[in-house]
């Protein structure tokens, strides 16, 4: 496995590793700044590929922050490997994530962020949004880079395959097809539709992001508000009923 690196927004690098067995991409995002920030660690077993991708941009020892949305292996499985190569790095996650899992899991204590707390990394101001159960998991959160209006949106807009690094259209259609396609598969029910789903997605849309950094599939550049509201409508239609809305 090899990672491909693409700058998708100023100082924002997508490190993409295609996993042939699962036939999906696992994308990490590095925001270069005075205090470099890596979003998602990738799987432990993909660490070398991700590490080489990061090394093509920066000396990994200079990483300062390692963020992720929720406690799953593609999000934070290689956290301790990263903490091993980056002596000044610290995990950042939600309060719930730290309290319930990461305080125990991580080799160094994480920094937990409150809802709306801003992490200043230099030029970039990273707003943390606690988003329980969006895309999934109690501890979920997302990160919005206020400097470049980039929303780091793990698992939202999921679509399979090994597509291009960034697109300017059709991300919603791909995500809709992927949600439909997974309804009968072994990984069905990955995203719950809860009393908080609509309001959380509306809150994300109101940020008016211009880039959506997608963990599995192409990133998106364009009207992020519209893309998120369109996705919210799809999620409501398909996932708000037990039979998948059909
Ligand atoms: Fe996930
Ligand atoms: Fe994921």
């Amino acid at each position: 496995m090899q990672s491909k690196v693409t700058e998708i927004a100023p100082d924002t690098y997508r490190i993409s590793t295609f996993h042939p067995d699962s036939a999906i991409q696992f994308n990490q995002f590095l925001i270069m700044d005075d205090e470099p920030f890596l979003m998602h660690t990738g799987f432990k077993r993909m660490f070398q590929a991700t590490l080489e991708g990061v090394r093509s941009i920066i000396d990994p020892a200079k990483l300062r922050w390692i963020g992720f949305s929720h406690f799953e292996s593609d999000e934070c499985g290689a956290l301790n490997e990263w903490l091993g190569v980056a002596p000044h790095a610290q995990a950042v996650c939600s309060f719930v994530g730290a309290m319930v899992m990461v305080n125990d899991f991580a080799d160094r204590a994480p920094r937990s962020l409150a809802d709306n707390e801003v992490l200043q990394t230099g030029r970039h101001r990273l707003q943390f949004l606690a988003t329980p159960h969006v895309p999934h998991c109690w501890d979920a959160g997302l990160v919005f880079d206020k400097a470049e209006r980039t929303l780091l949106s793990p698992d939202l807009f999921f679509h399979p395959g090994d597509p291009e690094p960034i697109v300017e259209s059709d991300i919603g259609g791909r995500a809709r097809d992927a949600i439909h396609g997974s309804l009968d598969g072994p990984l069905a029910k990955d995203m719950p539709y809860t009393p908080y789903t609509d309001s959380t997605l509306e809150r994300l849309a109101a940020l008016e992001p211009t880039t959506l950094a997608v963990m599995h599939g192409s990133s998106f550049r364009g009207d992020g508000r519209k893309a998120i509201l369109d996705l919210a409508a799809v999620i409501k239609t398909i996932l708000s009923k037990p039979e998948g809305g059909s």
Side-chain angles (χ1 to χ4, degrees):
M1 274 183 286
Q2 239 185 336
S3 295
K4 290 184 219 157
V5 175
T6 308
E7 188 173 11
I8 59 163
D11 309 327
T12 307
Y13 294 85
R14 174 186 187 265
I15 299 134
S16 178
T17 312
F18 178 68
H19 194 291
D21 294 344
S22 49
I24 61 174
Q25 293 173 335
F26 294 89
N27 302 320
Q28 279 50 256
F29 296 92
L30 175 66
I31 297 178
M32 285 294 293
D33 208 340
D34 298 340
E35 299 183 1
F37 177 96
L38 179 68
M39 184 69 174
H40 325 133
T41 72
F43 287 120
K44 193 192 308 198
R45 69 172 184 268
M46 291 170 55
F47 176 62
Q48 283 305 324
T50 316
L51 179 67
E52 291 313 312
V54 169
R55 201 194 299 284
S56 71
I57 309 162
I58 184 184
D59 175 358
K62 296 201 166 119
L63 284 176
R64 177 64 183 89
W65 301 108
I66 299 172
F68 49 91
S69 168
H70 48 275
F71 195 80
E72 289 182 337
S73 287
D74 61 343
E75 295 271 350
C76 63
L79 175 59
N80 288 327
E81 280 70 16
W82 285 106
L83 295 179
V85 299
H88 307 294
Q90 190 175 13
V92 282
C93 60
S94 68
F95 174 82
V96 172
M99 178 72 83
V100 177
M101 286 153 292
V102 185
N103 282 342
D104 183 61
F105 174 77
D107 287 345
R108 283 200 295 281
R111 172 171 167 183
S112 69
L113 296 176
D115 188 29
N116 278 325
E117 189 171 345
V118 172
L119 178 70
Q120 183 112 28
T121 60
R123 185 175 80 81
H124 295 264
R125 299 176 65 234
L126 306 182
Q127 179 182 0
F128 180 78
L129 301 116
T131 60
H133 307 292
V134 176
H136 44 222
C137 301
W138 176 24
D139 56 319
L142 286 86
V143 172
F144 180 59
D145 176 6
K146 294 163 84 80
E148 294 297 337
R149 310 203 70 77
T150 297
L151 181 66
L152 302 162
S153 49
D155 292 342
L156 290 175
F157 296 97
F158 170 97
H159 50 283
D162 192 16
E164 59 273 66
I166 190 158
V167 295
E168 298 190 356
S169 63
D170 197 33
I171 190 107
R174 293 184 190 188
R176 181 197 58 228
D177 292 348
I179 292 171
H180 263 302
S182 71
L183 288 175
D184 299 323
L187 296 176
K189 303 184 174 65
D190 62 308
M191 183 169 176
Y193 183 82
T194 77
Y196 321 110
T197 304
D198 289 337
S199 59
T200 301
L201 291 170
E202 283 162 14
R203 182 182 175 210
L204 298 177
L207 298 170
E208 300 187 341
T210 54
T211 302
L212 301 171
V214 174
M215 187 186 207
H216 309 284
S218 300
S219 290
F220 171 79
R221 184 185 299 125
D223 186 345
R225 177 181 173 278
K226 180 174 187 311
I228 294 168
L229 291 177
D230 288 350
L231 179 69
V234 166
I235 287 170
K236 184 168 187 171
T237 301
I238 301 178
L239 301 181
S240 66
K241 302 178 184 69
E243 64 277 20
S246 54

